[in-house]
Amino acid sequence: MKACQRLKHEHPDCWVNTHISENPAECSGVLVEHPDCQDYLGVYEKFDLVGPKFSGGHGVYLSNNEFRRMSKKGAAVVFCPCSNLFLGSGLFRLGRATDPEHRVKMSFGTDVGGGNRFSMISVLDDAYKVGMCNNTLLDGSIDPSRKDLAEAERNKLSPYRGFWSVTLGGAEGLYIDDKLGNFEPGKEADFVALDPNGGQLAQPWHQSLIADGAGPRTVDEAASMLFAVMMVGDDRCVDETWVMGKRLYKKS
């Protein structure tokens, strides 16, 4: 950690990407090693690593206070729902991370080393489910004392927020939104083309109900079609992939 601190001081523009608060055993183990710290984030703060270009993967068990400190310092959390569900780590509090008073920069990730999916579409599929579980935990139906309807609602992942989160939102979280994340002139061409009729065999029929057999004519129709793609949960809807202006993949 001291070596990381020294490198960050020598190269302040470099990124710090690490894990944080992934599971209870990890959280308690870290504090055993650093008894002078109050919480997991405090360990990284002790070594001056938390700030812009700091991203902590998972963040399932971050406290409200840790979220507020990350927000204040411009740090980011990386939501990895596929891994969190596969390993049984827990449910990331999407609604807390997106508190408008202390919003934390956020990227979405696969953490394929701990999960079982490569595709960001699969990430959105699982992220939606994690959010809906957290919505139920806070809507008052289980424990009225924990009722927080505003946070419960923020746990719902709409297609608008979902696809923003894996494009421009993710780029903002990593402080690379000046280079990619949308189609603004001068940015690198780093994107995938989606086929709304790809995926499961019923997908074309389902999309025909939304857009009457044609392409979407309104933003709401496009969002409904993207939500269906999001729920397919794999990469079969990816028609082609472009990175830095070069096509790397095209569906045959």
Side-chain angles (χ1 to χ4, degrees):
M1 294 293 288
K2 290 180 179 179
C4 291
Q5 181 183 39
R6 184 178 68 252
L7 286 171
K8 184 64 176 177
H9 285 173
E10 293 173 356
H11 307 280
D13 289 336
C14 74
W15 284 264
V16 177
N17 179 254
T18 185
H19 280 210
I20 189 169
S21 301
E22 183 177 3
N23 59 67
E26 179 190 48
C27 294
S28 59
V30 164
L31 294 183
V32 169
E33 296 295 327
H34 299 272
D36 56 325
C37 296
Q38 296 268 331
D39 51 40
Y40 203 145
L41 184 66
V43 175
Y44 295 119
E45 290 174 325
K46 181 172 69 171
F47 294 97
D48 302 319
L49 297 174
V50 181
K53 295 189 175 182
F54 173 93
S55 54
H58 307 292
V60 176
Y61 294 97
L62 288 170
S63 67
N64 292 353
N65 184 264
E66 287 173 293
F67 274 125
R68 285 193 289 269
R69 280 148 51 204
M70 291 183 75
S71 174
K72 184 177 181 180
K73 294 183 178 182
V77 65
V78 185
F79 180 21
C80 303
C82 301
S83 172
N84 299 155
L85 293 175
F86 185 78
L87 298 176
S89 300
L91 304 175
F92 175 75
R93 297 191 297 157
L94 182 61
R96 174 52 50 182
T98 52
D99 179 352
E101 294 186 9
H102 307 283
R103 188 180 183 91
V104 178
K105 289 182 177 294
M106 183 164 47
S107 296
F108 284 29
T110 63
D111 185 35
V112 73
N116 61 335
R117 295 288 187 273
F118 285 102
S119 171
M120 294 305 290
I121 296 174
S122 294
V123 169
L124 291 179
D125 176 30
D126 281 347
Y128 174 84
K129 295 166 186 173
V130 168
M132 293 304 291
C133 287
N134 276 325
N135 172 265
T136 301
L137 291 173
L138 294 175
D139 68 5
S141 60
I142 298 175
D143 182 356
S145 68
R146 294 184 58 192
K147 184 176 181 179
D148 187 332
L149 293 181
E151 184 173 335
E153 188 66 22
R154 290 195 301 271
N155 278 302
K156 296 179 180 179
L157 187 67
S158 71
Y160 300 108
R161 186 152 62 113
F163 280 93
W164 177 84
S165 295
V166 299
T167 54
L168 185 58
E172 288 181 358
L174 296 173
Y175 289 85
I176 54 175
D177 51 298
D178 60 325
K179 296 180 175 62
L180 47 85
N182 58 16
F183 295 107
E184 287 187 359
K187 289 190 176 181
E188 296 174 1
D190 183 359
F191 62 90
V192 299
L194 299 177
D195 176 4
N197 291 316
Q200 300 168 1
L201 294 178
Q203 192 79 349
W205 170 79
H206 183 275
Q207 301 295 40
S208 72
L209 300 179
I210 297 171
D212 195 24
R217 293 177 292 271
T218 67
V219 172
D220 285 343
E221 283 187 355
S224 294
M225 296 182 82
L226 283 173
F227 182 75
V229 169
M230 193 165 119
M231 291 298 99
V232 169
D234 61 24
D235 60 2
R236 285 177 287 178
C237 288
V238 176
D239 184 66
E240 57 187 47
T241 303
W242 289 72
V243 176
M244 296 182 65
K246 296 182 179 180
R247 188 169 67 193
L248 301 185
Y249 162 85
K250 182 172 176 59
K251 187 185 294 182
S252 58

